[in-house]
């Protein structure tokens, strides 16, 4: 992301913590304080993110989680006040794009897929271990869009001396094939 990007960082376990700062450097510094601890209120954390993104241009949520909210059966802890169905409904009504990274061998892909699929251009990526994280984050960052600077230097040759109009050919693949999983 450009250094001027507005970025917010919400850490969640049972308690939801919104870290101070909105600039990329501040958020990167805050990431060093994150520790994995117990039960999670993932649905409530997503709701908090949606509230922070209201009325923002091009809102994105990057969710890095095992996909398990502690309110669900078989998961320890109290968990969120919101249900999975409620947060999926809120995500579907929002303009935010959810980019979910499911981390760990036992993460819940069904929940992460369900939540990301209801958002515009949402995406779920699996990262079974630390070695898979660079590729997962690269896939997510590709969804933020790319910016290209194209320059054209007109060739000057004796053969083309009569042309005053430069000709540029460009191909753009908008088939969305790059958004598909390899097996698709």
């Amino acid at each position: 992301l450009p250094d001027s990007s507005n970025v917010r960082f919400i850490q969640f376990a049972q308690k939801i913590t919104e870290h101070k700062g909105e600039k990329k450097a501040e958020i990167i510094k805050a990431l060093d304080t994150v520790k994995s601890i117990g039960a999670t209120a993932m649905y409530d954390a997503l709701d908090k993110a949606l509230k922070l993104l209201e009325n923002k241009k091009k809102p994105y949520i990057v969710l890095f989680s095992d996909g398990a909210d502690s309110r669900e059966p078989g998961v320890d802890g109290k968990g969120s006040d919101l249900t999975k169905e409620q947060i999926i409904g809120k995500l579907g009504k929002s303009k935010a794009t959810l980019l979910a990274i499911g981390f760990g061998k036992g993460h819940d892909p069904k929940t992460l897929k369900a939540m990301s699929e209801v958002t515009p251009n949402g995406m779920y990526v699996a990262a079974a271990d630390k070695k898979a994280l660079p590729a997962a984050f690269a896939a997510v960052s590709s969804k933020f869009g790319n910016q290209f600077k194209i320059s054209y230097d007109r060739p000057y040759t004796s053969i083309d001396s009569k042309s005053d109009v430069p000709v540029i050919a460009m191909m753009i693949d908008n088939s969305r094939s790059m958004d598909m999983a390899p097996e698709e």
Side-chain angles (χ1 to χ4, degrees):
L1 292 173
D3 290 334
S4 61
S5 297
N6 180 308
V7 183
R8 306 303 285 272
F9 176 43
I10 299 172
Q11 177 182 346
F12 63 96
Q14 189 60 56
K15 179 183 169 192
I16 298 169
T17 305
E18 180 187 345
H19 289 265
K20 300 292 181 204
E22 296 180 13
K23 298 296 178 205
K24 188 168 74 171
E26 295 169 313
I27 301 305
I28 290 171
K29 187 176 179 181
L31 286 171
D32 289 336
T33 67
V34 175
K35 299 204 181 343
S36 175
I37 49 170
T40 59
M42 180 178 66
Y43 307 147
D44 289 349
L46 283 168
D47 188 46
K48 172 92 170 160
L50 287 172
K51 288 175 183 162
L52 289 172
L53 292 172
E54 285 177 357
N55 303 316
K56 298 285 184 191
K57 263 186 169 178
K58 297 182 183 179
Y60 285 90
I61 299 171
V62 177
L63 173 64
F64 181 69
S65 174
D66 62 4
D69 191 292
S70 295
R71 86 170 278 122
E72 301 300 335
V75 183
D76 293 336
K78 176 187 174 288
S80 295
D81 292 328
L82 290 173
T83 65
K84 181 182 350 182
E85 293 74 22
Q86 287 172 318
I87 196 61
I88 287 173
K90 287 182 174 215
L91 286 163
K93 291 177 187 171
S94 78
K95 294 179 182 176
T97 296
L98 176 63
L99 306 172
I101 299 174
F103 183 67
K105 290 184 182 181
H107 74 269
D108 179 3
K110 288 181 183 176
T111 296
L112 296 172
K113 281 180 188 179
M115 292 187 304
S116 63
E117 288 175 351
V118 298
T119 68
N121 297 314
M123 180 175 73
Y124 156 76
V125 179
D129 54 34
K130 288 181 182 179
K131 291 178 186 174
L133 287 177
F137 279 105
V140 164
S141 69
S142 73
K143 290 294 241 173
F144 291 121
N146 295 308
Q147 188 175 42
F148 300 96
K149 292 183 180 178
I150 300 173
S151 65
Y152 173 78
D153 292 328
R154 181 182 164 87
Y156 291 96
T157 65
S158 60
I159 298 170
D160 193 23
S161 62
K162 294 181 182 178
S163 174
D164 291 328
V165 180
V167 176
I168 299 172
M170 184 182 303
M171 291 178 38
I172 298 175
D173 178 3
N174 63 356
S175 67
R176 297 184 53 112
S177 64
M178 297 303 288
D179 294 340
M180 295 179 190
E183 60 272 7
E184 293 177 352

